[in-house]
Amino acid sequence: MIMGLLTALAGAHLVHPNPSACAVSASQRIIASARETVSAMDLMQLRDIGSLSDDSAPFAVSPDGVRVAVAVREAVAEANSYCTRILVIDLRSRTSHEVTAIEGGVILERGDLAGKLADFGSGVMRALIPQWSPDGKSLAYLEKRDGIDQVMIVPADGSEKRRQLTNSEVDVLQFQWGNDASQLEYVARSEASREKVALEAEGRRGFHYDDRWVPMWKFQPFTPVTQKHRFSVNATTGAVHEVPFREIDLDTAQRAFGPGKSETVIRLQDPEFVNSLKEIQSRSATAEALCRSDACATAEKVWMRPEDRRILFLRKAGWSDSLTQIVRWDPVSGRSRVVVATEDNIGGCRAARDQLLCAIDGTLQPRRLESIDYDTGRRSVLLDPNPEWVKKQKGKVRNLRWRNSLGLECFAKLILPKANRASDRKLPLIIVGYQNRGFARGGSGDFFPILPFVGEGYAVLYYQLPYPIGFKDPMKDWSEAGRRGLDNWADYQSFQSAIEIILSKLDDEGVIDRDRVGITGFSAGTARAMFTLSQGRNYRAASFIGCCGGPISRDLFMGPLMAASYREMGYPSLRDDLSKQPNDYDLAPNVGRVETPILVQSGDREFLAGLQSFDAFRQNGKTFDLYVYPDEFHIFWQPIHRLAAYARNLAWFDQNLLGKQNEWAHEFLTGNDSVDQH
């Protein structure tokens, strides 16, 4: 493990212009916490590697294969910002040094909605992944400067301050080094600024309401997608000229490059079907090999050793795919064998000279950078951004495996308080999902503080959604899977059955108190929990992030383009609603069945969808508390808002399941407590 990491992190620079943003290191705050159990602030202060949606590994290996560059991000609730530091680790000595601290805030992932609307985002932070120059002397990365994403360069030894290389008028979308360290190439949409000017001009005459609108997101049209352009920039002078366009050719999870011109790709056996079995193809200048074994048929990510053509790939296995395996395949001999099998989440790996490097987190362990021996699979910790975490009492985990009424394999982790006296054996339970691989932080989206719940005396059922009904048969597009899952609400009934069966089992065992069960939901989890409540299956309390999903919310507030895509997936339309067709999944039409008090916390880009249900519940004298967070998306990116969501969920379930007031949450939410006292 890297020694002296805390020392390296202590000399932090600021990400936010507020000078208090990094005045107190997260390590000092966590170590100073008097609580043995995990608190909401403990979760907030954890240092992170990568993001919620890592496709590639959230770090980079030097050209000589003996150093690693990684960005460590730390949320600072007091300043509502982040401190991000780039570290370089020497794989031989296992020592590290800080290269630079990033200013300018985080960059949020953005994409094109349906290929037509530009700059559509969900609030997911983009992982900062430094890129090594071909000579191994410099690192380049993206940083927001004066509101625009620019390419920055810094010496890898930290001997000089970073400098801004590009001066693009619009965001740099991607970049990569050229054949040597003298130049880089980047991609940007240079016409984007012109489209914004045109939109402002249109607004002076009045916007036409058409497919460009997503009213929940903003009260004006989105700009159209414009053409990408590729530019070359001199790494010394900054001189820029446009070059013929081609996509930036970076490693992805399904593609890896080895020595010489060797290449390995994961591809579909039958490209006509998006859920076809996979195959792995390996090519070099002199040979070609193809793997269609059972293991290769479920491959998800692939890597190549730098020294030879031996290949490692990742796949899911076991009951309900609850295991992650790393398999070694030799394309010359055709033999393969499992080198790693774990319930931990492997977020991304890169091949170094003597070892595979992976970002890995477990149910009770935040993400660390680990090395894996190519031959034995032996794991060792290379970088632990949160070494003080070991001092915290996290509870105990019990793996649950069962089948629902459709015969589908189901998997959940029951997280229990470590000290559970016999007299308190029947525990209140909170249900959190909807994907349970990896660290039990806040569930999908990171809103529901699982380990602080456990510290308060709750059991937490941390579930994985059952396998989608639509995936069982070949399908030509992902919408087809959605339509199958919505047919008679099959996916929703599958979820409902899975939860009811495991609750009955835990109740029969005397583990939980069925009269004190709360349910949570985010995104797909909210939709399924709403369906359950709409069927008259009530809980002591419910808490959702974003709500709700009826035809009025979708057809009116999501705009014509998104509404059409939902109708294509098989959701009822406003026309169906007006014709009084059954509406079994939304809260407002079924308010008479729902006796569960509901808390909804939503970003300002999504809260409109919940107003129909809000008003229906209020008019019927039922509890529906709605809180709206400014400048937020589907996922909250601001630290203070995530902490507030944690606090409000703690207060909500303590009030409804335990009949008590959570003192810290109450003080924090009423503005009478500083953020660092819990």
Side-chain angles (χ1 to χ4, degrees):
M1 188 187 301
I2 295 297
M3 302 300 295
L5 174 63
L6 296 181
T7 302
L9 295 178
H13 295 79
L14 303 183
V15 165
H16 194 277
N18 187 333
S20 66
C22 296
V24 181
S25 78
S27 61
Q28 292 170 328
R29 292 199 300 272
I30 293 179
I31 292 172
S33 173
R35 290 176 56 112
E36 292 182 357
T37 56
V38 178
S39 70
M41 182 54 67
D42 290 333
L43 289 186
M44 173 60 53
Q45 293 169 165
L46 287 174
R47 304 183 192 90
D48 293 317
I49 299 171
S51 74
L52 290 175
S53 61
D54 293 334
D55 185 38
S56 298
F59 55 88
V61 178
S62 62
D64 58 9
V66 298
R67 290 171 295 163
V68 176
V70 60
V72 178
R73 184 182 65 253
E74 176 183 338
V76 183
E78 297 93 325
N80 196 26
S81 188
Y82 295 87
C83 295
T84 304
R85 305 171 184 90
I86 294 179
L87 305 178
V88 167
I89 304 166
D90 189 305
L91 297 176
R92 298 159 298 189
S93 63
R94 298 209 163 196
T95 57
S96 70
H97 65 269
E98 181 179 312
V99 174
T100 190
I102 311 304
E103 298 178 356
V106 297
I107 297 174
L108 302 182
E109 292 278 11
R110 290 168 298 162
D112 302 334
L113 182 61
K116 297 181 179 180
L117 308 184
D119 289 338
F120 191 86
S122 64
V124 174
M125 286 182 285
R126 184 173 183 174
L128 192 159
I129 306 176
Q131 290 190 33
W132 290 89
S133 60
D135 61 8
K137 294 181 179 180
S138 300
L139 295 168
Y141 63 92
L142 288 180
E143 180 179 333
K144 191 171 289 294
R145 307 282 289 186
D146 297 324
I148 298 176
D149 302 345
Q150 306 282 7
V151 178
M152 307 290 292
I153 291 183
V154 63
D157 61 6
S159 59
E160 298 177 14
K161 293 182 179 180
R162 69 192 185 281
R163 59 186 176 88
Q164 182 175 332
L165 177 62
T166 60
N167 287 284
S168 177
E169 294 182 354
V170 295
D171 290 333
V172 173
L173 304 177
Q174 293 177 306
F175 74 93
Q176 69 178 177
W177 289 92
N179 295 327
D180 56 43
S182 66
Q183 58 94 30
L184 290 91
E185 294 189 354
Y186 68 92
V187 170
R189 285 182 162 141
S190 50
E191 288 93 358
S193 55
R194 184 183 65 198
E195 291 294 339
K196 291 179 180 179
V197 171
L199 190 66
E200 292 175 359
E202 180 186 351
R204 291 192 287 271
R205 303 184 299 274
F207 295 121
H208 183 230
Y209 189 82
D210 49 29
D211 283 355
R212 299 173 298 163
W213 284 77
V214 183
M216 283 203 307
W217 254 248
K218 57 183 178 180
F219 292 147
Q220 67 178 38
F222 276 78
T223 55
V225 172
T226 57
Q227 185 177 358
K228 294 179 181 178
H229 295 263
R230 185 164 176 146
F231 302 89
S232 177
V233 54
N234 186 288
T236 302
T237 67
V240 178
H241 66 275
E242 187 169 355
V243 297
F245 179 77
R246 56 186 173 86
E247 292 287 353
I248 295 290
D249 191 19
L250 299 174
D251 284 5
T252 67
Q254 292 77 40
R255 184 178 181 184
F257 301 96
K261 295 185 178 180
S262 59
E263 179 182 3
T264 299
V265 295
I266 300 173
R267 63 187 189 187
L268 299 174
Q269 291 186 18
D270 188 346
E272 184 178 357
F273 300 106
V274 294
N275 61 337
S276 165
L277 294 176
K278 310 288 183 55
E279 62 186 19
I280 300 179
Q281 183 184 52
S282 179
R283 295 178 179 175
S284 70
T286 59
E288 182 174 324
L290 186 68
C291 179
R292 282 192 167 189
S293 68
D294 290 344
C296 290
T298 53
E300 296 180 4
K301 301 178 181 180
V302 65
W303 309 277
M304 295 187 72
R305 290 183 57 169
E307 295 86 2
D308 53 44
R309 289 187 61 218
R310 275 181 292 181
I311 292 156
L312 296 165
F313 64 88
L314 179 145
R315 66 185 292 262
K316 296 293 192 303
W319 184 273
S320 191
D321 286 345
S322 57
L323 284 177
T324 298
Q325 294 180 344
I326 293 179
V327 182
R328 196 180 82 175
W329 173 51
D330 185 343
V332 177
S333 67
R335 291 191 296 268
S336 63
R337 65 182 179 89
V338 176
V339 294
V340 172
T342 179
E343 288 183 355
D344 291 345
N345 174 57
I346 300 179
C349 304
R350 293 190 190 275
R353 176 182 292 178
D354 302 315
Q355 57 212 307
L356 185 69
L357 306 177
C358 300
I360 301 178
D361 51 290
T363 305
L364 301 180
Q365 176 59 57
R367 182 174 285 185
R368 301 182 296 192
L369 187 58
E370 298 189 19
S371 63
I372 299 175
D373 185 273
Y374 283 124
D375 296 315
T376 67
R378 186 178 65 87
R379 292 166 52 179
S380 62
V381 177
L382 179 64
L383 172 66
D384 184 354
N386 301 286
E388 62 279 354
W389 180 252
V390 70
K391 298 182 179 182
K392 288 294 178 180
Q393 186 181 104
K394 276 83 73 173
K396 52 188 177 182
V397 180
R398 174 184 165 190
N399 290 330
L400 303 175
R401 297 177 175 87
W402 74 102
R403 292 185 185 272
N404 67 7
S405 60
L406 301 177
L408 294 177
E409 294 179 348
C410 302
F411 176 70
K413 299 175 182 181
L414 183 66
I415 308 178
L416 300 163
K418 205 158 192 177
N420 181 23
R421 300 186 304 274
S423 60
D424 299 328
R425 190 162 178 258
K426 289 197 126 188
L427 296 169
L429 177 78
I430 299 175
I431 302 169
V432 180
Y434 53 95
Q435 295 176 339
N436 66 3
R437 295 185 178 93
F439 180 48
R441 187 171 190 161
S444 296
D446 189 16
F447 296 100
F448 307 101
I450 292 175
L451 297 181
F453 282 151
V454 173
E456 293 290 331
Y458 296 97
V460 175
L461 182 69
Y462 189 27
Y463 72 85
Q464 179 78 24
L465 281 180
Y467 198 69
I469 301 295
F471 285 14
K472 292 194 299 183
D473 299 315
M475 55 190 186
K476 294 187 176 182
D477 57 57
W478 298 113
S479 294
E480 187 174 347
R483 289 190 294 271
R484 294 173 184 171
L486 288 170
D487 186 16
N488 198 31
W489 304 105
D491 278 338
Y492 294 68
Q493 296 198 54
S494 175
F495 163 80
Q496 181 175 298
S497 164
I499 296 298
E500 290 181 352
I501 287 173
I502 196 59
L503 289 182
S504 295
K505 175 179 172 60
L506 295 174
D507 185 34
D508 291 343
E509 293 177 1
V511 176
I512 65 167
D513 181 353
R514 279 297 296 266
D515 292 330
R516 294 188 296 164
V517 176
I519 192 168
T520 69
F522 162 72
S523 195
T526 295
R528 284 152 179 78
M530 281 172 31
F531 174 83
T532 298
L533 296 181
S534 297
Q535 303 303 300
R537 270 82 165 184
N538 284 287
Y539 292 84
R540 179 64 69 89
S543 176
F544 302 142
I545 301 299
C547 179
C548 303
I552 291 179
S553 300
R554 233 181 356 262
D555 285 16
L556 298 186
F557 299 141
M558 288 188 175
L561 188 64
M562 289 186 70
S565 68
Y566 273 92
R567 290 195 296 271
E568 183 182 352
M569 284 190 289
Y571 283 94
S573 67
L574 185 59
R575 181 178 59 186
D576 298 328
D577 187 61
L578 293 175
S579 65
K580 301 187 183 302
Q581 289 190 9
N583 191 336
D584 295 328
Y585 72 103
D586 195 19
L587 293 175
N590 298 289
V591 64
R593 297 181 180 182
V594 183
E595 301 300 331
T596 302
I598 296 173
L599 167 68
V600 175
Q601 301 182 80
S602 180
D604 55 359
R605 290 173 174 84
E606 292 195 347
F607 83 98
L608 291 177
L611 294 186
Q612 181 189 10
S613 293
F614 172 83
D615 206 46
F617 274 64
R618 284 299 178 95
Q619 289 187 30
N620 283 273
K622 298 186 176 183
T623 301
F624 191 112
D625 280 355
L626 173 62
Y627 291 85
V628 182
Y629 293 81
D631 192 23
E632 288 294 3
F633 298 77
H634 191 55
I635 291 173
F636 293 0
W637 68 274
Q638 298 179 59
I640 196 66
H641 291 162
R642 190 162 74 248
L643 185 60
Y646 286 168
R648 190 159 280 119
N649 278 313
L650 284 164
W652 181 254
F653 286 112
D654 276 7
Q655 172 189 335
N656 287 284
L657 271 62
L658 303 182
K660 71 172 188 177
Q661 178 174 280
N662 185 296
E663 294 300 332
W664 170 80
H666 174 74
E667 292 296 320
F668 172 68
L669 293 170
T670 55
N672 296 322
D673 191 15
S674 64
V675 297
D676 61 351
Q677 292 181 8
H678 186 60

